[in-house]
Amino acid sequence: MSFFDYFKSKKKNTALIARERLQIIVAHERSKKDQPDYLPQLQKEILDVIRKYVAIDEDMVQVQLDKNESCSVLELNVTLPERGEQA
Amino acid sequence: MATIIVVTSGKGGVGKTTSSASIAVGLAQRGNKTVVIDFDVGLRNLDLIMNCERRVVYDFVNVINGEATLNQALIKDKHVDNLHILPASQTRDKDALSKEGVERVLNELGERFDYIICDSPAGIEHGAQMALYFADQAVIVTNPEVSSVRDSDRILGILQSKSRRAELGLEPIKEHLLLTRYNPERVEIGEMLGVKDVEEILAIKLLGVIPESKAVLTASNQGTPVILDQTSDAGQAYSDAVDRLLGENREHRFIDLPKKGFFKRMFGG
Ligand SMILES: Nc1ncnc2c1ncn2[C@@H]1O[C@H](COP(=O)(O)OP(=O)(O)OP(=O)(O)O)[C@@H](O)[C@H]1O
Ligand SMILES: [Mg+2]
């Protein structure tokens, strides 16, 4: 790029944005790959149970299985809405 | 035993068939008995790229179903010695490729050839899975673009979990990154992902970078795989890639822009 182009086109570096988005999505998808097949169903059922009591969105329940040498830990993350919005 | 190489990508239209044809020709040129199989049942293309579309009588599915022998279906390439093409069928349903059938044909080919190149269909469904299942090596064709890179990563996941080698716990499939339709100018101005970016995200070894090139269309118009045009950048890049596939060291070309002089850099041009 020439000296003048630089001032002409102070354009965003969109390749950089692409790289960052890919790094995040690929890391996310890889971490899911080693998860057991029953996890999505488990996540859905937990969501249904919670929804009996609190109205929450689909993506407010995150379930993940982390394996250590000696045991596996099922990590359950539920984000509840602000008080007052409850069903 | 032959070496089975799948050319795959997940995403469609990134250059699998173009690459399969050139890699197959390159391997044959270097004295290896090579066969290239079109796994794209229903949408065959390889025959056009190889300029043998009018010589197709029987196809891969006919052989699997026992309606034709391999000898009847194999087409001898007119460009180079040592190369045969096994075309895909044009009309049948996608599930015509059974795992047992594919295995039987590959075994039979394995007795006669050194390299078997499998041109995979797009997607991650049955056809793509059959093309990669028996592979020893995989060429992952990727464009420097978000959806292609992401799809390549998904295909890597399938190679590592749903292939024969993965299921039997054998040595994993050897993975090669082939970055195609690369445009160094657009990389330079931050409009396109660079080689390093893609290599880093996918974390597999780089086999080659094929530049975006007019020669590719000219080649496909005529049915002469672009590797045969050694005056073109893409043709030379495919030659280098084949040499690397055979274990030789070749420096990467066509990645950087030619260096401009001081005045050109200051004032454009
Ligand atoms: N390096 C390149 N430069 C310019 N054009 C290219 C290059 N590589 C491939 N193309 C063009 O991209 C298009 C798709 O190529 P090709 O058919 O090889 O892709 P494919 O991955 O096999 O597609 P499909 O998923 O449909 O099987 C073609 O028009 C081809 O000419
Ligand atoms: Mg194709």
Side-chain angles (χ1 to χ4, degrees):
Chain A
M1 192 161 69
S2 85
F3 183 68
F4 293 118
D5 290 341
Y6 183 76
F7 287 105
K8 251 191 322 213
S9 70
K10 192 91 177 117
K11 260 195 287 182
K12 256 197 282 188
N13 187 326
T14 55
L16 213 62
I17 303 173
R19 188 180 76 190
E20 280 162 12
R21 291 174 61 211
L22 274 169
Q23 279 167 336
I24 292 166
I25 190 68
V26 165
H28 177 74
E29 285 173 351
R30 281 188 187 175
S31 73
K32 275 198 159 165
K33 206 172 56 194
D34 304 322
Q35 301 280 307
D37 293 340
Y38 61 75
L39 224 58
Q41 184 62 26
L42 180 83
Q43 176 160 345
K44 193 185 160 295
E45 285 178 28
I46 290 173
L47 183 73
D48 289 342
V49 171
I50 295 174
R51 273 182 170 169
K52 281 195 203 166
Y53 305 94
V54 191
I56 56 170
D57 282 338
E58 208 112 336
D59 54 356
M60 290 299 149
V61 174
Q62 298 294 338
V63 183
Q64 192 171 321
L65 196 69
D66 288 319
K67 286 193 195 97
N68 295 332
E69 285 134 54
S70 53
C71 64
S72 297
V73 176
L74 185 71
E75 195 182 303
L76 181 61
N77 238 309
V78 184
T79 314
L80 293 181
E82 302 272 306
R83 262 201 294 172
E85 287 178 44
Q86 285 171 13
Chain B
M1 258 318 272
T3 302
I4 302 175
I5 303 178
V6 62
V7 179
T8 184
S9 68
K11 189 169 160 61
V14 295
K16 292 179 294 297
T17 301
T18 305
S19 300
S20 298
S22 278
I23 290 172
V25 168
L27 287 169
Q29 278 178 323
R30 286 157 183 74
N32 302 288
K33 281 189 233 129
T34 305
V35 58
V36 54
I37 309 178
D38 191 345
F39 272 79
D40 208 342
V41 172
L43 280 174
R44 78 168 170 238
N45 268 320
L46 186 68
D47 54 335
L48 281 173
I49 299 298
M50 302 292 302
N51 195 21
C52 64
E53 69 274 11
R54 289 187 304 166
R55 290 193 286 147
V56 176
V57 182
Y58 295 108
D59 58 57
F60 193 17
V61 174
N62 290 139
V63 180
I64 286 180
N65 293 342
E67 296 152 2
T69 63
L70 253 184
N71 275 330
Q72 289 174 306
L74 283 174
I75 301 174
K76 193 174 171 350
D77 183 62
K78 289 252 173 84
H79 308 96
V80 284
D81 288 338
N82 300 318
L83 180 59
H84 283 80
I85 299 127
L86 184 54
S89 90
Q90 189 66 294
T91 50
R92 317 249 183 160
D93 70 304
K94 298 237 180 255
D95 295 328
L97 301 177
S98 66
K99 196 181 275 183
E100 298 69 33
V102 172
E103 181 170 30
R104 199 160 24 80
V105 175
L106 289 177
N107 282 339
E108 206 178 320
L109 289 170
E111 289 166 15
R112 301 171 45 179
F113 292 94
D114 302 319
Y115 285 95
I116 301 174
I117 309 298
C118 305
D119 178 16
S120 174
I124 54 174
E125 302 304 317
H126 184 74
Q129 295 201 12
M130 285 304 103
L132 68 78
Y133 188 78
F134 296 98
D136 302 305
Q137 303 192 27
V139 173
I140 320 293
V141 181
T142 308
N143 292 166
E145 174 266 323
V146 282
S147 48
S148 173
V149 175
R150 181 203 210 164
D151 286 1
S152 292
D153 192 63
R154 297 203 57 191
I155 276 291
L156 286 170
I158 293 172
L159 288 166
Q160 290 157 11
S161 64
K162 293 195 173 138
S163 62
R164 172 179 158 274
R165 282 178 172 271
E167 284 178 359
L168 298 183
L170 303 172
E171 193 186 319
I173 293 175
K174 195 168 173 195
E175 301 154 344
H176 310 272
L177 171 63
L178 188 65
L179 196 56
T180 61
R181 311 203 69 163
Y182 195 72
N183 186 331
E185 274 148 46
R186 303 192 70 184
V187 173
E188 169 113 345
I189 57 176
E191 276 185 3
M192 186 181 264
L193 288 163
V195 188
K196 284 273 156 344
D197 298 330
V198 181
E199 253 186 301
E200 210 178 285
I201 292 161
L202 293 178
I204 56 174
K205 198 159 171 11
L206 183 67
L207 178 70
V209 177
I210 313 297
E212 172 78 26
S213 167
K214 288 182 183 162
V216 173
L217 183 59
T218 322
S220 79
N221 284 341
Q222 301 168 286
T224 49
V226 72
I227 194 171
L228 290 168
D229 177 5
Q230 281 296 312
T231 62
S232 71
D233 47 1
Q236 293 171 27
Y238 273 118
S239 272
D240 288 356
V242 171
D243 288 337
R244 289 188 203 104
L245 201 55
L246 293 170
E248 276 170 60
N249 256 324
R250 289 280 176 278
E251 216 172 305
H252 289 280
R253 300 189 270 173
F254 316 110
I255 292 181
D256 298 312
L257 280 179
K259 291 263 177 296
K260 286 183 182 175
F262 174 76
F263 278 100
K264 272 201 169 163
R265 253 188 295 141
M266 282 301 283
F267 302 107

